[in-house]
Amino acid sequence: KLGWSRKAATEAEGVAIIYCSGHGQAYIDGDIVDGKPSCECNTCYAGDDCSIFLSNCTANAESGDPLFLKPYWEKHAADSAVVVAGWHRMSYSTTGKNYITTELERHIRMLHHGVGNAVTDDKFIVFGAGSTQLLYALVHALAASLNSSSPASVVASVPYYAPYRQQTEFFDSKLAEWRGVTSEWVNASKGSTNNFIEFVTSPNNPDGLLKKALLNGSLTINDHAYYWPHFTAISEPVDEDVMLFTTSKLTGHAGSRFGWALIKDEDVYNRTVRYMELNTEGTSRETQLRMLKLYKVILAELGGGKGDIFTFGYKTMRERWIKLNQVVSLSKRFSLQKLPTSQYCNYFNTTRDPSPAYGWLKCEMEEDEDCDAVLRAGGLSGRSGTIYSEDKKHVRVSLIKSQDDFNQLITKLTALVNQTKT
Ligand SMILES: C=C(NCc1c(COP(=O)(O)O)cnc(C)c1O)C(=O)O
């Protein structure tokens, strides 16, 4: 018989049933209009109930906001909700050392074992406010572990996720400096890249290709944000010294700001923990509670069945990739990255075809010099290739947003293709 939690449950369900026409959502902490949280509408929808479609609105395919998984959690509402007592974990201390709850750590390890995407047995784990917070924590820890009189050189392969460079330049530490594109150092003399820190993103953002370290002797930060069955075949459990994962691309909860690093070397681990101690004294305990609840749902449904998040994720992403390719193939104006087909996936125990998180679009016509400008003129905003230190001929279009966002992307891209159907 419910007692003190009844009020919270009633409030949550009362907000959940606020009608937003399927094109928005009301949240308990949303802006209050007429005494209740208002609908927060998807891009290009407006009105109190998000029922108005703004036809001349620019489609937003820019961000990697992983809302494609929202329908999955709506279907698993009862299992994925959590009530947070007013006295829940008020202390700085937690059950585990270094600001983590041991139950959550245990479930993360079970998750990697169940999916078969990473070896965790011989690794330490550090939680971060998003893997974004861990990116520089690891640069700092690896650079400090080199114990070198000169700054460590941080590099990444083009096209690369911009925060690798942006953070290194912004934090401007004497420990590490941004030294550009990895390929420019491949032929450096043996040993001269020992104090290099190489970001390796596999599958890569923006193009979804699997990547490996290029430099001999460098330390690597292996960002496996997308190494889940939604986006790629799981060919083997990755087993590098430093690996990064994030809930943003696993469960879709980018707003919860939760990621983790798996670290082999104890000195690097201790330095990363020290960074987190001085930076935030760990991640939110409410977030850790919520992650535990979500991961329990995923673990209970593992195995590729109907209720499995990876079945839902792969189906959604695969269908979107097929649709995007159908539109792009209608003319020679645009092209997309080529990804290997029929890859064997140890998770689904079968071969599977590409289902990347992003389209890496290229403007093929000579006159379309600035692809981002071409798309924006057609009412579609993506992320310019220049942000990935690539050229202006490329634009990333996000495939992981809401169904409304994806539908608008397809509509606008179809119109752009039809402008020059050959
Ligand atoms: C949100 C986006 N990227 C998230 C991301 C991150 C950061 O994710 P977090 O939400 O901070 O955990 C880390 N590494 C890679 C390769 C990523 O793509 C984006 O590219 O739009």
Side-chain angles (χ1 to χ4, degrees), residues 62-66 128-135 160-164 167 200-206 223-226 244-249 253-260 358 383 388 396 398 400:
E62 193 276 336
S63 82
D65 224 8
S131 53
T132 294
Q133 185 180 38
L134 290 167
L135 294 176
Y160 60 76
Y161 182 52
Y164 301 154
Q167 286 191 1
V200 182
T201 313
S202 187
N204 193 32
N205 169 4
D223 190 338
H224 292 303
Y226 301 92
L244 261 178
F245 289 91
T246 169
T247 206
S248 301
K249 312 302 186 211
H253 292 75
S256 296
R257 307 314 300 128
F258 186 77
W260 61 94
Y358 307 108
R383 195 176 279 179
Y388 296 92
R396 187 192 83 169
S398 179
I400 55 175

